[in-house]
Amino acid sequence: MGGDEVRSRIPQLRLDELLEELQARIDAARGTRDRVHSLLEAVLSVGRELDLTQVLRRIVEAAAVLVDARYAALGVIGPDGETLSQFLTVGLSEQEIARIGAYPTGKGLLGELIHRPEALRLRDLSQHAASFGCPAHHPEMRTFLGVPVRVREEVFGNLYLTDKRGGEEFDADDESVIATLAVAAGVAIDNARLYEEAQRQQRWLSASAEITRTLLSGSARPEVVALIAQRAREITGAELADVSVPVEGTDSLRVELALGDDAPARLGLVVPANGTLSGEAVAKAEPVTTPDLAHDPRLSAGPRRFEGLGPAVAVPLGRAGSESAGVLLLARRPGEPPFTEREIRPLLGFADQAALALELGERRRDAEQLAMLEDRDRIARDLHDLAIQRLFATGMTLQSAARFIEHPGASDRVLRAVNDLDETIKIIRSTIFGLRAREDSIGHGLRARAVRAVEEAQATLGFAPRLSMEGLLDTDVPGEVADHVLAVLAEALSNAARHARAGRVEVSLKATGTHVVLAVQDDGVGIPEQGRRSGLRNMAERAEGLGGALELTSPADGGSRLVWSAPLAG
């Protein structure tokens, strides 16, 4: 080969190298262009959504696509700033997630970005000092890229990406792309939050207007309180909503209104104020929250009724410094976000409206009670001044006329009529006495005492017995007989709680005019053939001592039915 030929091939080789380099640069530029295009599409996709949950989901999906990661996750930092309250993943199936178990809370390598919010790239995440391995059934992961997501200079959460496809490491370009996406994500999250807040405020305003209309229309207190609890439950996305009121003369609360799953079992329950979230809110006169209602160590009283519940808030009904008229309890399911200050603020306004409803209900009931007492006075006065005087005059006339009747049969009939008039006058006088019983006797009658006995039994039974009452229990039943009735009622409810293992108890109390009849029926296991029967014997002796009877039967559908009766006069 001659020198001229060699010299001619050298420029050709250099040209080929230059062409290859140019092609590589063109490919790199095309790749950069495609990545920038993908990034712009991802930013537009994320910013297009207004629902916060959908925004977060799109952020994770876009991050995984942009850097070709097999797995991606977004951890949302909770209110405490130390743990993750939400964790959204891409790359794992539902079955894999179920096998792994509970989502991470921000320990180990995930917590590293919480405490030091800056980008982190690793060739092998297992070699990092903060890493302490993965849980069982978790896929093996090596390469790692973590970038914080900020919303208005506040760290909202972190993007976690692992296992770049092809076995490559995440490079500086990947970090730059994800950091750019994180900035756009922060704007999108802020917009979604603002939209969500505006929607929530609109719902609170609409609900407030609805409650105000209900209050002004003169609706009964239970209806207004039920509306308040229902709207609060809907707006906050709570699973459970209870309104509890203090039990007079005790350190207990009674569930006056229950909404959500298993509401009938909670309605009417009497629970101690100590060891309950509602009791703590009443004691502090301010809202109290918990991230886990079912397992909070502070709440030792009655945790069984809150199984399957997570974050909760209890808001006292009434302004700070005033006596609480009750408390509103809202609870969500486990895994759902805790109640934030942003949600609690509108609840305080709702609580004030609930307190107003309770107070208006009390005032309305007082006014109705006063009107009823005034009507009773008027009726009693009319009965005394008109009916009794007329009946007495008629009886005197008949008694005088009987002396002039010669026919024995006719004379006897007239005298019987006079005796009937005397008995009628006695009944009317007894009615007048009952009508003129003032409010200071209310609460000491058989009706009120029976209600208290049933309420006190709820704590041991674990549910509210059903109570129905008929007749003039406060006026017709003598005090001594009423004491026996209450003793028998307490013993019957105690037996249902200790031995019957019942899920339902029905109590009926009525005054028939000649007898007082108490019936207690449950759906438990019935009365065992063998066992202590001292309680039943005592109830039977009380009935026999008054000339009454005790009857114990087993209904066809199971359980037991106790009927105790005694005459009203000897």
Side-chain angles (χ1 to χ4, degrees), residues 128-253:
H128 193 275
S131 176
F132 53 78
C134 297
H137 307 294
H138 196 285
E140 184 180 355
M141 298 177 180
R142 290 200 174 278
T143 56
F144 176 86
L145 172 60
V147 176
V149 177
R150 288 180 169 85
V151 177
R152 297 188 181 187
E153 303 304 320
E154 176 188 351
V155 178
F156 172 82
N158 296 297
L159 275 168
Y160 306 105
L161 300 118
T162 61
D163 282 13
K164 187 176 178 71
R165 297 181 188 274
E168 300 178 9
E169 298 179 31
F170 294 106
D171 55 24
D173 288 342
D174 293 328
E175 180 181 326
S176 177
V177 167
I178 296 300
T180 304
L181 177 65
V183 173
V187 175
I189 291 169
D190 195 28
N191 288 338
R193 275 180 165 180
L194 292 173
Y195 177 76
E196 189 178 73
E197 181 67 18
Q199 292 291 99
R200 186 184 295 114
Q201 288 295 338
Q202 180 62 39
R203 296 182 69 185
W204 282 122
L205 290 173
S206 299
S208 296
E210 182 183 7
I211 291 166
T212 300
R213 288 194 301 270
T214 305
L215 280 171
L216 295 178
S217 67
S219 299
R221 185 191 72 173
E223 180 181 346
V224 178
V225 174
L227 180 61
I228 291 171
Q230 180 64 36
R231 294 295 175 265
R233 179 189 175 207
E234 292 172 354
I235 295 173
T236 60
E239 176 66 25
L240 168 149
D242 284 355
V243 175
S244 302
V245 294
V247 178
E248 186 178 358
T250 69
D251 292 329
S252 302
L253 298 171

Side-chain angles (χ1 to χ4, degrees), residues 479-523:
E480 181 184 359
V481 177
D483 291 341
H484 286 289
V485 170
L486 291 168
V488 172
L489 175 59
E491 181 66 28
L493 292 174
S494 176
N495 286 341
R498 289 182 299 172
H499 308 303
R501 297 197 294 276
R504 186 185 74 254
V505 174
E506 296 180 1
V507 178
S508 171
L509 180 60
K510 64 177 67 176
T512 64
T514 59
H515 286 75
V516 58
V517 181
L518 170 66
V520 180
Q521 182 170 338
D522 63 64
D523 63 349

Side-chain angles (χ1 to χ4, degrees), residues 412-443:
D412 289 342
R413 288 187 178 185
V414 170
L415 291 177
R416 282 200 301 271
V418 171
N419 291 333
D420 289 342
L421 287 173
D422 287 340
E423 289 298 322
T424 303
I425 291 172
K426 291 180 181 178
I427 291 172
I428 294 176
R429 281 177 172 165
S430 175
T431 302
I432 292 173
F433 177 80
L435 288 172
R436 283 180 168 165
R438 292 296 180 179
E439 191 172 355
D440 56 3
S441 65
I442 297 176

Side-chain angles (χ1 to χ4, degrees), residues 251-253 270-276 279 301-302 459:
D251 292 329
S252 302
L253 298 171
V270 176
V271 297
N274 293 330
T276 61

Side-chain angles (χ1 to χ4, degrees), residues 247-248 254 438-456 467-475 482 485-486 489 509:
V247 178
E248 186 178 358
R254 179 171 59 85
R438 292 296 180 179
E439 191 172 355
D440 56 3
S441 65
I442 297 176
H444 302 287
L446 179 55
R447 280 180 176 271
R449 294 170 69 189
V451 170
R452 283 199 298 271
V454 170
E455 288 179 347
E456 290 170 359
L467 173 63
S468 63
M469 294 182 285
E470 298 178 24
L472 299 176
L473 295 168
D474 291 339
T475 57
V485 170
L486 291 168
L489 175 59
L509 180 60

